[in-house]
Amino acid sequence: MNQRRDYLPISEYALIGNRHTCALVARDGSIDWCCLPHLDSPSVFGALLDARRGGHWRVAPAGAARTRRAYTGAAPVLETEFAGSGGRLRLRDFLPIRAGRGEELSHSAHRIVRLAECVEGEVEVEVEWVPRPNYARDDVRLRREGSVVHAESQREPLWLVGLPEEAPVELAGAAVRATVRLRAGERLDLVSGMGDRVPTERARMVRRYLDETLAWWDAWAGACGIAPGAERWREMILRSGMVLKLLSNEESGAIAAAPTTSLPEELGGIRNWDYRFCWVRDASLITRALTILGQRAEGVAFLHFLERAARQHRDPARIQVLYGLQGETRMPEYELGHLDGYRDSRPVRIGNAAALQCQLDVYGELLEAAHGLLRIGARFNDEEWAWLRRIADYVCDVWREKDRGIWELRGPEMHLTYSKLMCWVALDRSLRIARVLGWSDGTERWRRERAAIRHAILENAYDERRNTFVQSFSNRSLDASSLLIPLTGFLPAADPRVQGTIDATLRELTDDGLVHRYRTDETADGVGGGEGAFGICTFWLADALALSGRTSEAREIFEAMLGRANDVGLFAEEIDPRSGEFLGNFPQAFTHVGLITCADFLARAADGEIRAPGDPEPSTDGDAFTEMAGGAERR
């Protein structure tokens, strides 16, 4: 039995999780990424970022086998079937959801369950358990006590339960290796976890884990609402909702951008970032997606988390771009030089220095989020409203400054079009909130500065010769974030400048139906190297087309994107237009948000419920009804 030393394509992985942490399971039965006890904790299995050192947990038949896999209904319970010459093995992988009240279930958040059952013939099952805690920086000492193998290190102990006591087990360094022969109907129940509490009465416990987990996810799926016009995409919409749910933190309501760090945007390149944090800018779009699914409570919890995290800073100037999943403000970025990186893509980064960047668009996203809370029934107390007013006043002070924007540029700061647009959104939504609350003090300044921002964008960010909005006031390159102009209500979709921007995006930023956020050779982003096309940007293009009444074009792009998902319906952040290979962190919340909102756009366009392209332009004081970020209002 040899430890696997190669790298699989990112698309070969599936996600399991339980709203505390997640794991990535490869098609060959190897868990190559899992952080314990939480999603943003150091990795315990990290072969995804270093196949030799990172650690993994593989359960699979000996010898060659054909594989097929699928989730069990709407639940992140992964079933992989291996068919070999001697028989067939079914492997079910999941992390127990804490749905029950039993003592064992209360300790299940830090456990991974793997159930291997021979369904035909006879199969030799190989088990390799190679925990390498703390990003493979800690030494591991192994010892076996009956059916339990303990792994001790400088951190909390790890354990593996379920190897038959009579099975020969090899303990070599930090690796546990065993082979167990199963006949038809026989099952091997394996549980691995962290902490001093090792489970007992395993057969009863794992059955309860499985039943509780399936029942919980069935209830979740049953509570999701799918628009009638989107029923044809129901499975993919629920799969995207599952991803958002798995990336949400049960305790805080935060939603991580992805469960991984440092998966490269270019193979062998240096565009490798840690996405295991919660971004303020995700607020309005993620909440919109959750609301579409009928998950209003989750949307409210997420928005409240962001409001609480940002409200730690009474001074709006100190509001961060991103926060830890419990509201932490410090995420120092550093490199793990001892890890090779996925397919030699160095460096491997932990933390994210973008947290301290100046990104003026976050104020628009926060106030859009606040307006979203108001629209779904929330109310603000005096302290909250005073804090929101301070943000609006601060936007009036700083919108003329340069920043690093939505793409977190590490090159020179610029007057970025999207940042100015979201400053306009900040003041526009503040005025709307004030109108609902019957507040008028100080709003005249907001109205005046909003008009000034509008004038600045139309004068400086629009290239009249090419009939398109551009990336910044000084850089005439295209940027996919300009596709959000009609979705914010800044201009109607029918405006010739919006249509020109859509057409320019199709011509200059689109390869094989996939949209780049910008061309890296035209933007001084301070990083270097190349990257793939972005899933969320591709869905934005389809949104803008649907809002424009160009529904056949929108549907073509949308359905082509569905065809690019992996075999279990998951997307990474980016796709290589030439090879179709997944790039960037996986699975990516924003890409799945884009799928949900785009499906809703197309469904409502088919029903005639989306705003028509000929609707009049909103008035410059913002009092006219406008489209909201992330989607158009129903009539």
Side-chain angles (χ1 to χ4, degrees):
M1 183 187 302
N2 294 317
Q3 182 175 333
R4 183 165 61 81
R5 295 182 180 275
D6 59 333
Y7 292 93
L8 295 179
I10 295 170
S11 59
E12 292 288 284
Y13 288 93
L15 183 72
I16 57 175
N18 62 357
R19 304 189 66 204
H20 291 271
T21 192
C22 295
L24 291 184
V25 187
R27 181 184 292 276
D28 68 355
S30 183
I31 292 179
D32 288 347
W33 182 255
C34 183
C35 299
L36 291 175
H38 305 295
L39 184 147
D40 54 354
S41 299
S43 64
V44 169
F45 302 116
L48 188 67
L49 297 180
D50 192 311
R52 293 181 298 115
R53 302 181 186 89
H56 67 277
W57 180 16
R58 181 172 177 267
V59 178
R66 300 183 307 277
T67 63
R68 62 179 183 180
R69 59 184 184 167
Y71 285 114
T72 305
V77 175
L78 181 69
E79 293 194 10
T80 306
E81 184 175 287
F82 301 89
S85 58
R88 289 190 297 120
L89 180 75
R90 181 177 65 185
L91 176 64
R92 284 184 288 187
D93 293 322
F94 66 100
L95 275 71
I97 201 80
R98 296 205 296 186
R101 297 181 180 178
E103 184 178 8
E104 286 292 349
L105 284 171
S106 69
H107 293 273
S108 66
H110 307 150
R111 296 178 183 179
I112 307 169
V113 179
R114 314 198 73 183
L115 312 178
E117 181 180 5
C118 180
V119 295
E120 182 181 293
E122 194 170 297
V123 180
E124 277 197 346
V125 182
E126 294 182 344
V127 178
E128 292 180 343
W129 187 67
V130 190
R132 297 302 311 275
N134 193 20
Y135 305 114
R137 291 182 293 193
D138 290 356
D139 296 327
V140 176
R141 299 172 300 282
L142 299 173
R143 59 183 174 87
R144 186 184 184 192
E145 294 181 353
S147 64
V148 183
V149 178
H150 298 271
E152 298 173 344
S153 68
Q154 294 93 316
R155 295 178 178 256
E156 280 198 75
L158 300 162
W159 41 259
L160 171 65
V161 178
L163 291 174
E165 292 191 30
E166 66 275 12
V169 175
E170 176 189 357
L171 306 183
V176 176
R177 298 187 177 93
T179 301
V180 180
R181 181 174 293 276
L182 297 179
R183 296 178 175 85
E186 294 180 335
R187 200 173 78 181
L188 180 64
D189 297 343
L190 300 171
V191 184
S192 181
M194 171 179 279
D196 295 322
R197 188 178 182 84
V198 179
T200 56
E201 298 185 66
R202 192 174 57 262
R204 177 183 63 83
M205 176 196 71
V206 297
R207 172 55 60 184
R208 187 176 178 188
Y209 280 169
L210 182 61
D211 291 345
E212 290 272 5
T213 298
L214 291 173
W216 191 93
W217 283 99
D218 281 347
W220 170 81
C224 288
I226 307 293
E231 277 291 337
R232 74 193 79 177
W233 307 308
R234 180 180 182 83
E235 183 177 352
M236 290 295 288
I237 293 170
L238 287 179
R239 186 60 36 76
S240 291
M242 181 199 81
V243 171
L244 296 185
K245 196 72 174 175
L246 290 179
L247 295 179
S248 68
N249 184 278
E250 182 182 50
E251 297 173 351
S252 70
I255 298 178
T260 56
T261 179
S262 299
L263 289 180
E265 298 178 21
E266 179 185 36
L267 293 179
I270 62 173
R271 293 175 180 265
N272 316 319
W273 315 108
D274 194 346
Y275 277 10
R276 297 171 299 160
F277 307 110
C278 185
W279 267 256
V280 170
R281 74 167 45 86
D282 296 2
S284 59
L285 291 178
I286 286 182
T287 301
R288 168 70 181 164
L290 292 171
T291 302
I292 288 170
L293 290 176
Q295 303 295 311
R296 178 173 293 191
E298 285 80 355
V300 170
F302 178 46
L303 291 179
H304 275 313
F305 165 79
L306 286 173
E307 298 286 354
R308 288 194 306 272
R311 248 190 3 255
Q312 297 176 71
H313 316 290
R314 292 185 61 83
D315 180 0
R318 299 185 62 191
I319 291 174
Q320 295 185 181
V321 173
L322 59 104
Y323 292 90
L325 301 184
Q326 297 296 331
E328 299 94 335
T329 58
R330 289 180 51 80
M331 282 76 63
E333 182 178 305
Y334 61 95
E335 298 177 2
L336 297 178
H338 67 290
L339 296 181
D340 289 342
Y342 177 78
R343 293 170 67 175
D344 290 325
S345 302
R346 296 182 178 90
V348 172
R349 291 185 174 94
I350 302 300
N352 201 309
L356 301 179
Q357 284 187 351
C358 173
Q359 298 178 19
L360 296 177
D361 60 297
V362 299
Y363 302 110
E365 276 112 11
L366 267 177
L367 281 156
E368 178 73 280
H371 188 243
L373 276 173
L374 197 66
R375 286 163 53 81
I376 58 179
R379 290 294 179 264
F380 305 124
N381 59 36
D382 291 343
E383 181 183 357
E384 291 168 335
W385 177 225
W387 180 71
L388 293 172
R389 295 200 311 273
R390 286 198 298 272
I391 294 177
D393 289 338
Y394 182 70
V395 169
C396 291
D397 293 336
V398 301
W399 72 264
R400 293 175 176 82
E401 296 180 6
K402 298 178 180 180
D403 75 322
R404 300 190 188 278
I406 182 174
W407 305 126
E408 304 185 340
L409 306 177
R410 299 199 174 198
E413 292 185 339
M414 293 187 276
H415 290 293
L416 294 158
T417 301
Y418 181 74
S419 295
K420 307 304 183 191
L421 173 69
M422 294 311 292
C423 286
W424 179 90
V425 168
L427 298 181
D428 182 78
R429 301 324 187 239
S430 297
L431 286 164
R432 293 173 184 276
I433 295 170
R435 186 162 59 245
V436 171
L437 299 181
W439 185 276
S440 59
D441 291 353
T443 58
E444 184 53 40
R445 187 189 181 204
W446 301 347
R447 197 178 304 275
R448 186 173 63 251
E449 293 299 326
R450 183 185 57 181
I453 298 172
R454 180 184 181 86
H455 177 78
I457 292 173
L458 295 178
E459 285 295 312
N460 300 295
Y462 173 67
D463 187 327
E464 187 172 359
R465 181 181 60 83
R466 296 157 65 204
N467 187 27
T468 182
F469 285 96
V470 293
Q471 185 179 64
S472 75
F473 290 3
S474 58
N475 186 344
R476 313 317 279 172
S477 301
L478 295 187
D479 192 303
S481 62
S482 297
L483 293 167
L484 296 176
I485 285 173
L487 278 71
T488 62
F490 183 83
L491 287 175
D495 189 286
R497 293 164 291 189
V498 171
Q499 291 300 302
T501 301
I502 293 172
D503 292 336
T505 301
L506 284 164
R507 287 193 312 270
E508 301 180 36
L509 284 183
T510 304
D511 289 333
D512 194 24
L514 296 168
V515 180
H516 295 268
R517 56 178 179 169
Y518 53 78
R519 296 291 184 182
T520 56
D521 58 351
E522 298 177 358
T523 297
D525 62 13
V527 182
E531 61 188 23
F534 276 62
I536 186 66
C537 297
T538 305
F539 284 122
W540 285 346
L541 175 59
D543 291 344
L545 286 165
L547 189 60
S548 304
R550 299 164 63 174
T551 52
S552 61
E553 294 173 83
R555 186 184 299 274
E556 182 179 356
I557 291 171
F558 175 76
E559 293 187 338
M561 271 295 290
L562 296 190
R564 294 180 183 274
N566 74 356
D567 60 313
V568 290
L570 304 182
F571 289 94
E573 179 182 28
E574 302 171 30
I575 300 173
D576 185 332
R578 295 178 298 278
S579 66
E581 187 166 4
F582 282 4
L583 297 169
N585 285 305
F586 170 85
Q588 174 77 359
F590 239 18
T591 309
H592 288 277
V593 165
L595 188 153
I596 295 169
T597 55
C598 191
D600 186 62
F601 260 106
L602 289 169
R604 290 191 289 117
D607 292 341
E609 295 184 3
I610 202 165
R611 290 199 54 169
D615 284 349
E617 179 176 341
S619 65
T620 56
D621 67 1
D623 290 335
F625 177 86
T626 62
E627 305 296 340
M628 301 304 299
E633 289 287 20
R634 299 181 183 274
R635 287 188 182 279

